[in-house]
């Protein structure tokens, strides 16, 4: 395995929330980072500027995670700019919430397209193009075990992500590439706060044995572990949630 100073990572959804924390954490280890974004180019470029000003290496590249040609361009940029690909941290996802009986099928399809097809697209590219010693880190959710009403479409999509992760780890036998999924609990990001009252947020935080929400840096620490030293952790779903589930 290459040292972290020689490694190159693609972080999907890297312009904000957990993705941005992952970018900053990997860059701090000396990893060159491709900051992928879906729509907010300005925020991605700001993330890149902060990494570069701290002495790191990063570029921003946009694309729809569910569009193979657009994501192939992201992988092309990583190889062109930094020479190869060693890490995929696939944090990108969407989380519209509604009870199953009330969610329209258009929204359901959009969730599955981004979260399931998007994971399949980027994982397939990584499986084809990643160097030996690499690490694929997908993102699930602790909601798959919590069964919270309103999360049906989202939890279903992340159940599929877990299945893709566990099977791909076995399919890459002999390649020296690990494949794992990180499963955060409630984490203080704009995606989590959207649509929740202050009372709801306080109740969720109080329900955790640690007495707080997770922070993006908590999750990024696990990604850094899987992206670098954790060579004997493979084909696993790791719940990073302060014992929320």
């Amino acid at each position: 395995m290459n040292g972290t100073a020689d490694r190159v990572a693609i972080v999907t959804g890297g312009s904000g929330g957990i993705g941005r924390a992952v970018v900053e954490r990997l860059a701090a280890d000396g990893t060159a980072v491709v900051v992928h974004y879906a729509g907010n180019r300005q925020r991605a470029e700001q993330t890149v500027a902060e990494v570069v000003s701290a002495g790191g290496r990063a570029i921003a590249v946009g694309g729809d995670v569910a569009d193979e040609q657009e994501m192939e361009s992201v992988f092309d940029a990583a190889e062109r700019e930094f020479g190869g690909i060693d890490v995929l941290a696939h944090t990108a996802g969407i989380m519209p919430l509604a009870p199953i009986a009330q969610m329209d099928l258009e929204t359901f399809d959009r969730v599955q397209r981004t979260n399931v097809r998007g994971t399949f697209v980027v994982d397939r590219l990584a499986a084809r193009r990643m160097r030996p010693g690499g690490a694929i880190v997908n993102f699930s959710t602790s909601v798959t075990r919590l069964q919270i009403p309103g999360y049906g479409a989202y939890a279903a999509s992340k159940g599929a992500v877990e299945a893709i992760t566990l099977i791909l780890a076995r399919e890459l036998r002999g390649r020296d590439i690990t494949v794992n999924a990180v499963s955060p609990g409630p984490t203080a990001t704009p995606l989590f706060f959207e649509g929740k009252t202050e009372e709801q947020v306080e109740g969720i935080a109080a329900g955790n044995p640690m007495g707080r929400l997770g922070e993006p840096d908590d999750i990024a620490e696990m990604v850094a572990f899987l992206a670098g030293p954790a060579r004997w952790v493979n084909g696993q779903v790791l719940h990073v949630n302060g014992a929320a589930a």
Side-chain angles (χ1 to χ4, degrees):
M1 185 184 74
N2 297 336
T4 54
D6 300 320
R7 288 169 80 72
V8 178
I10 295 172
V11 180
T12 67
S15 63
I18 291 173
R20 182 168 183 160
V22 170
V23 168
E24 293 170 347
R25 181 64 179 81
L26 294 179
D29 281 345
T31 301
V33 185
V34 175
V35 181
H36 160 268
Y37 62 93
N40 198 326
R41 177 177 179 177
Q42 182 177 2
R43 191 168 62 180
E45 290 179 344
Q46 181 184 7
T47 302
V48 167
E50 292 179 2
V51 168
V52 172
S53 67
R57 297 172 295 157
I59 59 171
V61 186
D64 174 358
V65 292
D67 185 306
E68 185 176 22
Q69 289 186 334
E70 291 188 16
M71 293 312 296
E72 197 157 21
S73 296
V74 175
F75 279 71
D76 289 343
E79 292 181 344
R80 183 172 59 249
E81 186 72 19
F82 299 123
I85 301 157
D86 304 289
V87 177
L88 168 67
H90 180 46
T91 79
I94 60 173
M95 191 175 65
L97 302 178
I100 291 169
Q102 298 173 21
M103 178 171 280
D104 62 85
L105 288 176
E106 182 179 353
T107 301
F108 178 84
D109 288 344
R110 185 162 56 90
V111 172
Q112 308 314 311
R113 181 182 185 277
T114 298
N115 295 357
V116 182
R117 179 187 166 103
T119 299
F120 193 90
V121 165
V122 297
D123 278 13
R124 187 169 70 161
L125 286 166
R128 292 174 175 176
R129 300 177 64 166
M130 187 169 281
R131 296 187 287 204
I136 297 170
V137 184
N138 291 323
F139 266 68
S140 183
T141 173
S142 292
V143 175
T144 56
R145 299 201 304 187
L146 292 171
Q147 294 92 45
I148 301 173
Y151 283 78
Y154 180 68
S157 74
K158 293 302 187 177
V161 168
E162 292 185 10
I164 291 169
T165 299
L166 300 181
I167 291 171
L168 182 58
R170 277 81 184 168
E171 290 179 345
L172 293 182
R173 173 187 291 270
R175 291 277 307 279
D176 190 23
I177 295 172
T178 61
V179 189
N180 294 287
V182 172
S183 183
T187 306
T189 67
L191 186 65
F192 169 78
F193 289 123
E194 185 176 344
K196 295 182 177 68
T197 67
E198 186 175 343
E199 290 74 20
Q200 286 175 318
V201 171
E202 290 176 354
I204 292 170
N208 191 292
M210 303 296 284
R212 65 174 178 88
L213 297 175
E215 294 292 337
D217 288 346
D218 294 324
I219 315 304
E221 196 66 33
M222 176 59 76
V223 176
F225 175 61
L226 295 173
R231 300 310 301 166
W232 198 236
V233 182
N234 189 28
Q236 304 298 318
V237 177
L238 296 105
H239 292 263
V240 188
N241 58 26

